[in-house]
Amino acid sequence: ASQYFKQLPSPNDTGTDGKNLMAFRFAAPIENDFNTLISRVDYRLTSNQTLFGRFNLQDDTINAAPQYPGLDPRSSTLTDNWGLAIGYDNVLSSNLVNSFRYGLTEIDTSTVGLVKANYTTFRFIDSLDAPTTTSARRSPTHNFVNDLSWLKGKHTIKTGANLRFSRIPSTRDSNSWLTATVNPSWVSGIGRTFAPG
């Protein structure tokens, strides 16, 4: 424990009582990245048929503050979402139009923590490497839509179907590590022994 404590910075704030429970404050640098790409293509196959395609990509990184100066962020939230859509319109006759759409959207988010092995924490003292774990969720959704429109004078009758398929698998490693806590209140003659009441 002594060797571990020597790695921690000295307090620069009086904290709770200015003697036992003191604090360390610093301006934490945080760097985030936000990237988005959107594209679309339209194409006329024939005078009665059109086709379009659309693609969207989102690649974001949101970092938490580091535990102490010079360390990596305590955690990073990674967002790697993307989606595509394809559409096909066909004018079958002067009063009959068919429209088909397919879309695939994938939401892929994860919070990447620093824990890579078993760890011990000391109560009242922030760990040198924050004990943050990793979790992730990836949910692809397929969507098929087809509409048929019939026009008669001032009236339109539309019929169609919408089929959607989705799964939401997720992972987390919060229960993958053994942890221990050292609590100074468990030692006789300190902590609650001298607390009022």
Side-chain angles (χ1 to χ4, degrees):
S2 175
Q3 293 302 316
Y4 176 78
F5 293 150
K6 288 178 183 177
Q7 300 177 65
L8 299 172
S10 297
N12 60 10
D13 185 280
T14 57
T16 303
D17 62 5
K19 296 181 181 113
N20 297 309
L21 299 177
M22 299 175 70
F24 179 81
R25 293 176 183 263
F26 69 102
I30 299 175
E31 183 178 330
N32 299 323
D33 291 320
F34 301 99
N35 302 298
T36 301
L37 170 69
I38 299 174
S39 63
R40 179 178 168 122
V41 174
D42 292 283
Y43 185 72
R44 183 172 289 281
L45 298 169
T46 67
S47 61
N48 294 339
Q49 299 175 347
T50 60
L51 183 68
F52 84 86
R54 184 176 67 233
F55 180 75
N56 182 359
L57 173 67
Q58 177 185 355
D59 182 16
D60 297 345
T61 301
I62 301 173
N63 292 310
Q67 190 78 347
Y68 293 108
L71 298 179
D72 291 331
R74 287 178 304 197
S75 65
S76 297
T77 301
L78 309 177
T79 304
D80 188 19
N81 300 337
W82 64 275
L84 63 86
I86 299 170
Y88 172 72
D89 294 318
N90 188 4
V91 179
L92 302 171
S93 67
S94 61
N95 66 343
L96 199 60
V97 178
N98 190 74
S99 177
F100 172 77
R101 302 285 185 265
Y102 166 73
L104 170 60
T105 303
E106 183 169 290
I107 298 172
D108 185 355
T109 59
S110 59
T111 301
V112 180
L114 297 176
V115 174
K116 302 289 185 250
N118 302 332
Y119 61 93
T120 300
T121 58
F122 294 87
R123 188 174 180 208
F124 306 121
I125 299 174
D126 288 338
S127 301
L128 186 62
D129 291 321
T132 52
T133 57
T134 297
S135 62
R137 180 181 65 125
R138 186 175 191 178
S139 53
T141 301
H142 298 269
N143 199 30
F144 299 87
V145 180
N146 195 80
D147 294 321
L148 182 66
S149 300
W150 180 62
L151 299 91
K152 182 71 173 173
K154 295 181 179 180
H155 305 284
T156 302
I157 296 175
K158 183 183 266 191
T159 184
N162 185 339
L163 299 174
R164 184 173 296 160
F165 304 95
S166 184
R167 296 184 58 81
I168 308 177
S170 62
T171 60
R172 68 183 63 79
D173 70 354
S174 55
N175 293 327
S176 300
W177 315 109
L178 298 175
T179 65
T181 301
V182 178
N183 188 341
S185 296
W186 296 338
V187 179
S188 179
I190 64 168
R192 293 199 176 269
T193 305
F194 299 113

